[in-house]
Amino acid sequence: GENVEQHPSTLSVQEGDSAVIKCTYSDSASNYFPWYKQELGKRPQLIIDIRSNVGEKKDQRIAVTLNKTAKHFSLHITETQPEDSAVYFCAASKWGYSTLTFGKGTMLLVSP
Amino acid sequence: DARVTQTPRDKVTEMGQEVTMRCQPILGHNTVFWYRQTMMQGLELLAYFRNRAPLDDSGMPKDRFSAEMPDATLATLKIQPSEPRDSAVYFCASGLGTSGNHNEQFFGPGTRLTVL
């Protein structure tokens, strides 16, 4: 089955800096890669996703890049703000299949 | 704003007791997932239903855990007997499955279970 590795497990940045979280996956058939954000005590929520037919996708301050050859994808957050502090989970799946395999999460702390 | 709901939000029980957690998926969603979240293991998939039929429960300890969907508006996860190692946050999520444009899963608020 699919295995998703996520790094780093914790990340501390200063407000305004950029943050990058990286994930690798094992199943070359995976072609859908979402990112979920979970604030303290709250439910995980989808913030951005990418399908394997594109290499990059942006939504305001967040972007995701995908390297299918190397089987890794990354989340980039620019101009970080304290409200970006949360746990971020990457996941992998095959398009048309409902189940997601999640990474273990990255705790991002943005200091003012 | 349709949301997945879960009850109870918090549950404290003693070892050996039965625990039942309930989930109401978003109306119209045909897939339901149960996850367990711990610091050590992250989000683990316990069970997965499509159109109320169980498709995958390989992540669930079969001897003590059971998951059902009595109808399209209710999913249940039971632990009997509960053990301290079951202490975790249990999330339910629902989605449109293959009939949707994407695989997004919508999570409920979770049930925080503490087994003493």
Side-chain angles (χ1 to χ4, degrees), chain A residues 5-64:
Chain A
E5 301 278 343
Q6 183 172 348
H7 299 281
S9 56
T10 59
L11 179 60
S12 293
V13 300
Q14 291 291 121
E15 182 177 1
D17 289 349
S18 295
V20 180
I21 303 169
K22 299 181 179 181
C23 290
T24 60
Y25 60 99
S26 61
D27 188 347
S28 57
S30 289
N31 54 11
Y32 173 68
F33 308 95
W35 287 87
Y36 283 76
K37 175 184 180 181
Q38 185 180 25
E39 296 176 358
L40 187 63
K42 301 289 181 64
R43 68 190 79 193
Q45 291 187 291
L46 179 72
I47 55 171
I48 194 168
D49 57 13
I50 190 168
R51 294 176 63 179
S52 61
N53 55 347
V54 297
E56 183 175 1
K57 184 176 178 180
K58 285 185 179 180
D59 183 3
Q60 298 183 5
R61 294 186 298 107
I62 60 173
V64 57

Side-chain angles (χ1 to χ4, degrees), chain B:
Chain B
D1 183 22
R3 288 197 164 196
V4 176
T5 59
Q6 289 184 247
T7 57
R9 295 293 305 275
D10 281 281
K11 176 72 175 180
V12 180
T13 191
E14 293 188 346
M15 183 173 63
Q17 297 298 304
E18 177 178 302
V19 175
T20 299
M21 291 169 270
R22 294 177 174 81
C23 167
Q24 182 172 20
I26 292 173
L27 188 64
H29 282 188
N30 68 342
T31 55
V32 174
F33 308 84
W34 282 104
Y35 290 94
R36 176 171 60 188
Q37 184 176 37
T38 61
M39 288 292 292
M40 294 299 295
Q41 299 299 326
L43 278 166
E44 299 176 276
L45 179 66
L46 297 176
Y48 158 43
F49 292 79
R50 179 181 293 167
N51 297 323
R52 296 176 55 202
L55 290 191
D56 184 0
D57 61 1
S58 58
M60 205 162 64
K62 303 289 193 305
D63 56 337
R64 298 183 301 108
F65 285 59
S66 62
E68 296 179 344
M69 279 201 75
D71 61 62
T73 64
L74 176 65
T76 62
L77 179 66
K78 291 186 180 181
I79 309 174
Q80 169 62 22
S82 57
E83 297 181 1
R85 59 180 168 151
D86 300 329
S87 298
V89 179
Y90 291 81
F91 284 101
C92 172
S94 71
L96 288 167
T98 56
S99 60
N101 287 327
H102 46 66
N103 296 23
E104 181 176 2
Q105 296 182 16
F106 295 80
F107 283 77
T111 293
R112 181 176 300 277
L113 174 64
T114 303
V115 183
L116 304 174

Side-chain angles (χ1 to χ4, degrees), chain A residues 44-99:
Chain A
Q45 291 187 291
L46 179 72
I47 55 171
I48 194 168
D49 57 13
I50 190 168
R51 294 176 63 179
S52 61
N53 55 347
V54 297
E56 183 175 1
K57 184 176 178 180
K58 285 185 179 180
D59 183 3
Q60 298 183 5
R61 294 186 298 107
I62 60 173
V64 57
T65 58
L66 171 66
N67 183 326
K68 280 200 68 179
T69 303
K71 289 191 284 189
H72 68 69
F73 57 111
S74 301
L75 177 72
H76 303 253
I77 307 174
T78 58
E79 300 172 27
T80 53
Q81 301 168 2
E83 52 264 39
D84 295 328
S85 296
V87 178
Y88 292 80
F89 293 93
C90 63
S93 178
K94 301 181 189 63
W95 188 254
Y97 286 75
S98 298
T99 57

